[in-house]
């Protein structure tokens, strides 16, 4: 079996874990024994780290010898979560370490609980990058991730009187056993300064002299594959000052000035921008982007040169880069700079190489969310890159002119100006912008969306002009999630039941095998076992709710969950409105009628970007409604609502296995894919959702009739938006809006803008069409209740979800990228 295979491949010569754990505690932490789970965690993690490094070294020795083509995943975010459990399971060491910890008086799960999340990402895009690394390693693909080692990751969310407050994520203070600081492996990164032309013999060369320089210091984070000897790498860059400190200033008594360089440099990798989807045009963000891209490209080129010298025409056969959204797009200009200015290639040769090496993934449909940097900002911080982008744009628009020569002059000029990488700011004609998505498309071989519907929207709307010019550049790569973390490791009880039923655990590497569960979906004995696992997971989540909120929830109730970043387009608001309606209905019922009602525990979790005012009001609405209904003795066993603070990867690992219904209710056409929907599906959780993102493909795989689909379709949205002001809202909607406005949940002034955003056509327009979908959503919720009353039907569907989840393994996604875009092949070291 895969696990047995993994156990065999684990190094047998390693020291017995018990002694090793106590050794690590003694010599690294000065402790005689593990007094707390945290001690036990530290000892265990530093011990496991050595096994990880063994397989890391073997893998890289092998790759060095084989010299295969590599994929480099460039991403400003990697939302890794915890590493201990994932590492011991992926390496097949769980038995060994669980035994060792037992001997020391500890339970593996409690010990694992002492680890802090590595939260170097906002949400979906960052977690996708983390799942992709797991699959790249598991599939033995030569590949690395490259990003930023933020000192402070995603902020910690706390509730203060029901409002969100943010606290810094201090995650590195106790040391990080999962990283290796590569002493001496660092690259200079420059900013600002001037650009000059100089003569080198009879050749004109360009010399950029930055006014500010920092070191990018490498930290490696080994990524173990599952059931393979391959351990790949995530290399993160930390910004360091070039000079330790200014001794002159220090001697003169000016301590602040002495430390200035250090502070300026360290600021670059200090904090993750906690904005999801709405770009903030902050210079520091561009600085971060260039910082990690510049270091990563120098690193790759220096390794390339060590084996191939200056035969750069071979580069596309040895390296390719995936741009995770537009965040690393400055790579287009940086690779050109390195090849032309530093290596002396001529422009056209460099351009051919650059465009062959780069590929771009788009993750968002909202036009306002696409990154555009003011030319002024770019020219000041990256003067040479701004010139390069200008030259690229000249070449591009000229080529376009030729390509469109059939068009009438006026039409042609219009098209060219619409596709220019540098264009006017439509809201401020004085300002010129660099459109990073356009730069990415022009500079890449392939462009992809992240779910079928999304890739079509990219082709037909967002980048339609480009699609018409380069139809074959555009692809779809439907997202996936790793079945290791998101099923096998976070839900071992369900995993065992599946393995027992299918006769092997091969499904962990080949999730298509899960489809064999379909044959058991209606079997009452199997259903009973399936239900028992779900119930155990609900108990565990209930214990967590008790710990957070002090309340005991009804574990026989339907666990109904919505967890994701808080966003108007994701419509947590719609969810709350339906909970209010449910509450009002329950209040009207007689005790007899109440006996027939389906009890629900509703949970909502997610962070709001710190400056996203409306999202913060939505959080407050959730907590305010919860405060009222959770205290109502008449109904609280039938309906409760809790906001789960500080939603993160680790919390998701407890919530998802316990969920029976999950909500993916974005306005059709707005959620590029969604990935938690896939995690819920794998864990046998039914979905209520709109015809959007990956929901569509999930429904197709699960059977559309098994999914609670509701609401308007993406192709109706534009028309409905135009007609929204004439839309006749449902009387139930009007009633609820009056309740909120009237102060039923307190805080009525604070909720006013929220009410206005969906009712007052002068203020909010209800852009995300909450009102249009409201009635259909209530109907779908009624259908949920009806099915839940028939537990055998509910369980049948639940099993059908897991059975239909095979497509959504990130292994499938990564195989498609490897074959259609990267052209990299597996290369597995000997065990
Ligand atoms: C420009 C900057 C502020 C920025 C930072 C983070 C812009 C976007 C983001 C994050 C975007 C994101 O997480 N997008 C999500 O990507 C997932 C993976 O493809 C999708 O499943 C999900 O639908 C999409 O919203």
């Amino acid at each position: 079996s895969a696990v047995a295979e993994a156990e065999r491949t684990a190094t047998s010569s390693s020291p017995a874990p018990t002694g090793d754990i106590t050794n690590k505690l003694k010599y690294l932490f000065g402790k005689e024994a593990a007094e707390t789970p945290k001690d036990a965690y530290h000892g265990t993690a530093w011990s496991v780290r050595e096994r990880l490094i063994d397989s890391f070294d073997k893998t890289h020795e092998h790759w060095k010898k084989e010299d295969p083509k590599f994929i480099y995943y460039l991403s400003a975010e990697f939302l890794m979560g915890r590493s201990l459990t994932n590492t011991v399971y992926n390496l097949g060491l769980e038995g060994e370490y669980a035994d060792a910890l037992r001997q020391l008086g500890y339970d593996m799960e409690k010990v694992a609980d002492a680890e802090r999340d590595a939260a170097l990402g906002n949400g979906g895009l960052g977690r996708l990058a983390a799942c992709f690394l797991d699959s790249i390693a598991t599939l033995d693909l030569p590949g690395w991730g490259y990003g930023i080692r933020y000192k402070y990751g995603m902020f910690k969310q706390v509730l203060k009187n029901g409002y969100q407050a943010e606290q810094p994520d201090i995650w590195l203070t106790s040391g990080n056993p999962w990283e290796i600081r590569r002493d001496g492996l660092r690259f200079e990164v420059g900013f600002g300064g001037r650009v000059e032309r100089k003569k080198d013999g009879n050749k004109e060369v360009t010399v950029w002299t930055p006014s500010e320089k920092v070191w990018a210091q490498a930290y490696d984070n080994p990524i173990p594959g599952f059931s393979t000897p391959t351990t790949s790498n995530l290399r993160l860059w930390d910004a360091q000052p070039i000079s330790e400190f200014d001794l002159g200033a220090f001697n003169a008594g000016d301590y602040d000035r002495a430390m200035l360089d250090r502070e300026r440099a360290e600021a670059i990798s200090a904090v993750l921008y906690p904005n999801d989807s709405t770009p903030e045009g902050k210079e520091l963000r561009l600085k971060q982007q260039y910082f990690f891209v510049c270091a990563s490209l120098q690193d790759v080129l220096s390794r390339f040169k060590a084996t191939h010298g200056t035969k750069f025409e071979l580069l596309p056969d040895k390296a390719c880069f995936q741009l995770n959204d537009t965040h690393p797009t400055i790579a287009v200009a940086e690779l050109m700079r390195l090849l032309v200015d530093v290596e002396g290639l001529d422009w056209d040769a460099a351009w051919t190489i650059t465009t062959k090496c780069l590929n771009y993934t788009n993750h968002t449909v909202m036009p306002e969310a696409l990154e555009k940097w003011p030319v002024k900002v770019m020219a000041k911080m990256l003067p040479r890159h701004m010139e390069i982008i200008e030259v690229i744009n000249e070449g591009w628009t000229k080529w376009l002119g030729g390509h469109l020569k059939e068009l009438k002059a006026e039409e042609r000029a219009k098209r060219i100006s619409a596709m220019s990488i540098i264009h006017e700011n439509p809201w401020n004609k004085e300002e010129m912008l660099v459109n990073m998505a356009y730069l990415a498309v022009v500079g890449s071989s392939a462009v992809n969306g992240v779910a079928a519907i999304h890739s079509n929207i990219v082709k037909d709307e967002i980048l339609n002009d480009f699609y018409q010019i380069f139809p074959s550049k555009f692809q779809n790569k439907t997202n996936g999630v790793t079945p290791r973390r998101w099923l096998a490791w976070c839900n071992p009880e369900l995993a065992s039941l599946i393995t027992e039923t299918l006769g092997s655990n091969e499904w962990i590497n080949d999730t298509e095998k899960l489809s064999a569960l379909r044959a058991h979906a209606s079997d009452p004995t199997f259903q009973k076992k399936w239900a028992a696992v779900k119930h155990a997971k609900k108990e565990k989540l209930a214990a967590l709710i008790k710990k957070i909120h002090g309340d005991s929830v009804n574990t026989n109730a339907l666990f109904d969950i919505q967890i994701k970043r808080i966003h108007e387009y994701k419509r947590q608001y719609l969810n709350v409105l339906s909970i209010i309606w449910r509450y009002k209905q329950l209040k009207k019922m007689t005790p007899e009628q109440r006996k027939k009602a389906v009890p629900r525990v509703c949970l909502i979790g997610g962070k709001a970007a710190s400056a996203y005012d409306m999202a913060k009001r939505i959080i407050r609405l959730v907590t305010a409604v919860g405060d009222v209904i959770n205290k109502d003795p008449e109904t609280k066993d039938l309906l409760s609502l809790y906001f789960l603070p500080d939603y993160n990867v680790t919390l998701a690992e407890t919530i998802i296995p316990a969920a029976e219904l999950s909500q993916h209710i974005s306005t059709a056409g707005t959620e590029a894919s969604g990935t938690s929907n896939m995690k819920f599906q794998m864990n046998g959780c039914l979905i209520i959702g709109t015809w959007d993102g990956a929901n569509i493909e999930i429904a197709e795989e699960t059977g559309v009739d098994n999914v609670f689909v509701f609401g308007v379709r993406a192709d109706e949205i534009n028309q409905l938006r135009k007609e929204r002001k004439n839309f006749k809202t449902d009387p139930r909607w009007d009633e609820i809006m009056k309740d909120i406005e009237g102060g039923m949940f307190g805080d009525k002034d604070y909720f006013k803008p929220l009410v206005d955003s969906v009712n007052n056509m002068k203020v909010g327009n209800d852009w995300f069409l909450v009102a249009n979908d409201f009635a259909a959503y209530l109907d779908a919720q009624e259908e949920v209740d009806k099915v839940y009353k028939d537990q055998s039907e509910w369980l049948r569907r639940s099993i059908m979800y897991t059975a239909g989840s095979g497509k959504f393994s990130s292994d499938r996604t990564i195989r498609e990228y490897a074959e259609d875009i990267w052209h990299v092949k597996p290369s597995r070291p000997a065990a």
Side-chain angles (χ1 to χ4, degrees), residues 43-184:
T44 310
W46 284 90
S47 170
V48 170
R49 165 195 166 100
E50 292 181 8
R51 305 287 197 92
L52 197 51
I53 293 176
D54 285 339
S55 72
F56 179 97
D57 285 349
K58 270 194 200 155
T59 308
H60 287 85
E61 223 172 276
H62 172 77
W63 284 343
K64 199 167 176 197
K65 201 176 81 225
E66 297 289 313
D67 190 33
K69 181 176 180 183
F70 263 68
I71 158 66
Y72 298 106
Y73 200 79
L74 300 184
S75 178
E77 305 189 4
F78 286 92
L79 191 43
M80 304 299 283
R82 287 177 176 160
S83 285
L84 178 61
T85 308
N86 187 65
T87 305
V88 295
Y89 273 96
N90 272 19
L91 292 179
L93 300 171
E94 72 277 17
E96 223 176 297
Y97 275 90
D99 285 350
L101 282 170
R102 224 170 287 126
Q103 282 173 42
L104 296 171
Y106 286 95
D107 161 76
M108 186 66 152
E109 210 183 310
K110 286 231 174 64
V111 170
D113 220 29
E115 181 175 356
R116 293 197 61 122
D117 274 35
L120 310 184
N122 271 284
L125 164 147
R127 183 54 230 176
L128 183 76
C131 284
F132 280 5
L133 293 180
D134 184 86
S135 287
I136 286 172
T138 298
L139 296 174
D140 302 309
L141 293 169
W144 282 11
Y146 269 118
I148 300 172
R149 181 182 180 270
Y150 299 105
K151 184 171 176 194
Y152 304 104
M154 189 60 202
F155 67 79
K156 184 176 154 68
Q157 177 193 53
V158 294
L159 289 179
K160 287 202 172 135
N161 301 321
Y163 298 84
Q164 166 175 301
E166 301 98 30
Q167 292 176 353
D169 167 46
I170 306 167
W171 72 291
L172 287 168
T173 32
S174 312
N176 177 7
W178 309 113
E179 68 182 10
I180 306 161
R181 182 178 183 279
R182 295 292 182 195
D183 196 41

Side-chain angles (χ1 to χ4, degrees), residues 77 122-126 128 273-280 285 289 324-327 361-364 369-371 450 479 565 569-570 670-678 693:
E77 305 189 4
N122 271 284
L125 164 147
L128 183 76
Y273 273 95
N275 303 321
D276 173 281
S277 302
T278 24
E280 215 180 341
R285 204 182 138 78
Q289 298 181 344
N324 198 22
D325 216 292
T326 50
H327 317 159
T361 304
N362 173 284
H363 294 265
T364 186
L370 297 174
E371 286 187 297
V450 290
N479 282 164
R565 287 298 290 258
Y569 85 81
K570 295 180 190 278
T670 63
E671 186 70 274
S673 161
T675 42
S676 79
N677 42 8
M678 302 167 183

